[in-house]
Amino acid sequence: AQSVTQLGSHVSVSEGALVLLRCNYSSSVPPYLFWYVQYPNQGLQLLLKYTTGATLVKGINGFEAEFKKSETSFHLTKPSAHMSDAAEYFCAVSGWTDKLIFGTGTRLQVFP
Amino acid sequence: EAGVTQFPSHSVIEKGQTVTLRCDPISGHDNLYWYRRVMGKEIKFLLHFVKESKQDESGMPNNRFLAERTGGTYSTLKVQPAELEDSGVYFCASSQGRTGAYEQYFGPGTRLTVT
């Protein structure tokens, strides 16, 4: 079975500060890991994904995530937050099936 | 290229009524997925079509939910009769192939409210 835990349903940062959104997963098979973002009134958009190979994955809008197998983590970071980053972020895992298993989401607020 | 579209964007119905949600995937995408997010909880998988065939329907909550994909193009999700606990946002996604290799593109969702 697979599962995802996102620590912190709400995260607030100041503009220009580091963004760190935490994701831990559980998987009995080698996982594929994803971060999606949802802006208001829009669908989910893929930020980045890890399948195989390099464990540090770079995505759109300056975000990156590192796959740490020993810690079963896939935390999302961005060095400097921008007001436009305010959105809800979802970590997801898939494995031998094609369905995505999502975490409960983290709403990011960015203050000026 | 048009993205995944869903209709309606919002639906408010009374308990016991029937509602049909529609999803139009990106043209050429054989894989179509339905997910649901109940308020405050995670987005949960409902089912997966490959062309017109149901590949995985392990997430369908009960037999009040019926999904179809006519001719491998658009898909409908019917809820009959609707119950209060069916309220939530229903997302549709499509992809060209297997999840690890291909991105799932999501629609904006249909917000269903059952009163």
Side-chain angles (χ1 to χ4, degrees):
Chain A
Q2 296 177 304
S3 66
V4 172
T5 301
Q6 290 185 242
L7 295 175
S9 58
H10 290 81
V11 170
S12 297
V13 300
S14 299
E15 193 172 22
L18 171 71
V19 176
L20 171 60
L21 304 184
R22 299 179 186 275
C23 173
N24 288 87
Y25 70 90
S26 171
S27 179
S28 56
V29 299
Y32 296 147
L33 294 159
F34 307 82
W35 275 98
Y36 280 84
V37 60
Q38 185 182 22
Y39 299 103
N41 301 316
Q42 295 185 27
L44 280 73
Q45 180 183 3
L46 182 66
L47 272 178
L48 49 79
K49 68 178 181 182
Y50 168 80
T51 54
T52 59
T55 57
L56 181 62
V57 180
K58 295 186 184 299
I60 61 172
N61 301 337
F63 284 93
E64 63 182 34
E66 186 171 11
F67 169 60
K68 292 187 176 180
K69 184 178 179 180
S70 62
E71 299 177 9
T72 60
S73 68
F74 191 57
H75 302 330
L76 182 70
T77 61
K78 181 174 180 178
S80 177
H82 191 273
M83 297 294 289
S84 60
D85 295 326
E88 192 160 20
Y89 293 79
F90 297 91
C91 182
V93 64
S94 72
W96 61 273
T97 68
D98 290 317
K99 64 185 177 185
L100 292 169
I101 309 296
F102 285 91
T104 50
T106 298
R107 189 169 295 279
L108 176 66
Q109 286 187 301
V110 182
F111 292 100
Chain B
E1 179 184 276
V4 177
T5 58
Q6 294 186 244
F7 183 82
S9 57
H10 293 83
S11 180
V12 181
I13 61 172
E14 293 182 352
K15 177 182 172 181
Q17 289 185 322
T18 298
V19 64
T20 300
L21 313 181
R22 173 170 170 143
C23 169
D24 286 80
I26 293 172
S27 177
H29 282 194
D30 286 340
N31 293 268
L32 187 148
Y33 305 83
W34 283 98
Y35 294 86
R36 176 175 75 172
R37 190 184 192 195
V38 172
M39 185 181 295
K41 300 202 172 181
E42 71 271 29
I43 299 168
K44 282 195 169 180
F45 167 82
L46 296 178
L47 88 160
H48 171 204
F49 284 100
V50 178
K51 297 184 179 178
E52 66 275 10
S53 300
K54 293 176 185 175
Q55 181 77 12
D56 180 356
E57 52 184 330
S58 62
M60 293 289 265
N62 52 60
N63 60 10
R64 295 186 294 102
F65 289 74
L66 175 64
E68 295 180 324
R69 190 177 183 194
T70 307
T73 56
Y74 71 92
S75 174
T76 58
L77 180 64
K78 179 189 286 188
V79 185
Q80 180 182 29
E83 298 289 344
L84 299 179
E85 64 265 25
D86 300 333
S87 295
V89 180
Y90 290 76
F91 292 102
C92 176
S94 72
S95 73
Q96 290 178 283
R98 300 299 306 274
T99 295
Y102 295 92
E103 177 179 348
Q104 289 189 25
Y105 293 86
F106 281 76
T110 293
R111 183 175 296 277
L112 174 64
T113 302
V114 183
T115 62

